[in-house]
Amino acid sequence: MTKIVTTPLTLEKVQDLKSGDRVLLNGTIYTGRDAAHKRLFEMIQRGEKLPFDLNGQVIYYVGPCPAKPGTVIGSAGPTTSGRMDPYTPALLQNGLKGMIGKGLRSQAVVDAIIKYKCVYFAAIGGAGALLAESIKEAEVLAFPDLGPEAIYKLRVENFPVTVIIDSEGNNLYTVGKERYRQH
Amino acid sequence: MREIHANQIISTVERLCIESNINLPDDVKNALDDALKMESSPLGQEILKDIIKNAEIAKEKNIPICQDTGFAVVFLKLGQDVRITGGNLVDAINEGVRRGYINGYLRKSIVTDPFLTRKNTKDNTPAIIHTEIVPGDKINIILAPKGGGSENMSALRMLSPADGVEGIKRFVLETVDKAGSNPCPPIVVGIGVGGTIEVATLIAKKALLRPLGQHHPQPEVADLERELLAEINKLGIGPQGFGGSTTALAVHIETFPAHIASLPVAINIQCHVARHMEAEI
């Protein structure tokens, strides 16, 4: 079933999301991938103030294409989430509630998702043109020197995602594969 | 001797960079349409529909299919009777990539010093260039932008000749299974068997350039392609790893003679955005 959810995420909203749900996200989300994660993680370790308050927020693992003149953003599909794993538990501990990416997560991330009651969504990898249509506003918020890896603040409308790992640790990648496996 | 001006190479490469990133080849579209008819998971069918719709939006809006517009991998067949004027070949290709990625609003995904500063080169250069000298007076250029997510799931193993076909099958299934949802399935699997390590990996990548569904001319190799495709699709990974019967759209194998001591096997995984475009000058 499809659920419509508005950010920021609360504990109640997160607990209503179950692995396998299709969700249309609305509101503000933030982008961040490899280099931005490394910087956020190092800032947390040094006790510095982050460029945005993580509480209840959602980070989208994406490095978009440049916007053509007259458009909000270029193609903007998810990147592989696993590369963010070393940094993710610290972000979840500091209030981050949701992540959008694609692909497998480490056990440490799954444990942190359960511990801090968070949710991991996947957007369709390789569907950057389709996903860009749901992004209505985009502005660079931090680390402009990183180019496509800068942190953008996005406003999304009905941004289509699927719940992969819910706050209880149920995992669509495991369950879905087992259901259709013939080996 | 035929003279070809560097500017012609620059403009051709620029065009190929832009067009290959926007237009999904027809063979890939057809393979996705076929997969949609065969897919057993309802959620998997929804995903395949969105993937097909995405390619239509990209074409209509003239924007990249995927934001990862890749490393610019260039396969060159350079006629030995060609003389390049007005510049040198490698600079011309890199200039074409620079213009294509900047003028086409493509993402610049290349960083310098892989384990040091990782500073973005800001124009997607350098290109990866594979040159073959061939008879004739033409230059054939294939541009195949390669995304990082699927490339990262690729693998090489130096098997022992005693491992044989069974060893190859085990390695392929293990690699695809382990990759799971990461390389954006449904995938295309390019396999290179034989040669030395660099030849195995190069022919694995070349295998990805073959039109989807076109089998290897050698019947035994073609049979192995069919068998591996069927086995991969029994893994259950499905579109985007959400579970289903379409994990791969095609398996292509290329072979090369091997040393008496060796059976190198390289697996190059390609996401469903299997882009490549060709031009001849």
Side-chain angles (χ1 to χ4, degrees), chain A residues 22 33 63 66-69 75 77 102-104 124-130 133 148 164 173 176-177 180-183, chain B residues 41-42 46 50 54 57 61-62 64-65 67 105-108 177 181-182 184 231 234-236 240-244 272:
Chain A
R22 296 205 83 185
R33 51 173 295 158
K68 282 190 169 178
S75 294
K102 53 120 178 159
L104 310 164
I124 299 179
L130 178 121
E133 298 213 310
I164 301 295
Y173 289 145
K177 186 168 152 180
Y180 291 93
R181 196 174 182 89
Q182 295 172 54
H183 273 283
Chain B
S41 150
E46 293 303 310
D50 277 351
N54 179 66
I57 293 171
K61 292 200 162 176
N62 213 26
I65 308 160
Q67 77 292 335
Y105 296 90
L106 307 179
R107 195 181 77 185
K108 290 77 181 171
D177 199 25
S181 50
N182 286 12
C184 294
E231 290 302 310
K234 284 182 196 165
L235 289 172
Q240 293 295 305
F242 296 175
H272 59 82

Side-chain angles (χ1 to χ4, degrees), chain A residues 20 22 33 60 62-69 74-83 102-105 122-133 145-149 160 162 164 172-183, chain B residues 22 39-43 46-47 50-51 53-54 57-58 61-69 104-108 111 120 122 149-150 152 173 177-184 231-237 240-245 272-273:
Chain A
R22 296 205 83 185
R33 51 173 295 158
Y60 180 22
V62 59
C65 282
K68 282 190 169 178
S75 294
T79 194
T80 313
S81 309
R83 294 192 313 272
K102 53 120 178 159
L104 310 164
R105 307 307 304 255
I124 299 179
L130 178 121
L131 291 164
E133 298 213 310
D145 59 301
L146 296 178
E149 295 202 67
T162 303
I164 301 295
L172 178 64
Y173 289 145
T174 314
V175 173
K177 186 168 152 180
E178 276 166 10
R179 192 175 298 151
Y180 291 93
R181 196 174 182 89
Q182 295 172 54
H183 273 283
Chain B
I22 293 171
E39 175 54 51
S40 45
S41 150
L43 179 56
E46 293 303 310
I47 300 302
D50 277 351
I51 287 173
K53 190 173 160 197
N54 179 66
I57 293 171
K61 292 200 162 176
N62 213 26
I63 57 172
I65 308 160
C66 177
Q67 77 292 335
D68 186 352
T69 48
Y105 296 90
L106 307 179
R107 195 181 77 185
K108 290 77 181 171
V111 294
N120 198 301
K122 301 210 159 97
S150 58
N152 285 346
L173 289 176
D177 199 25
K178 198 174 144 209
S181 50
N182 286 12
C184 294
E231 290 302 310
I232 286 169
N233 285 334
K234 284 182 196 165
L235 289 172
I237 296 165
Q240 293 295 305
F242 296 175
S245 55
H272 59 82
V273 190

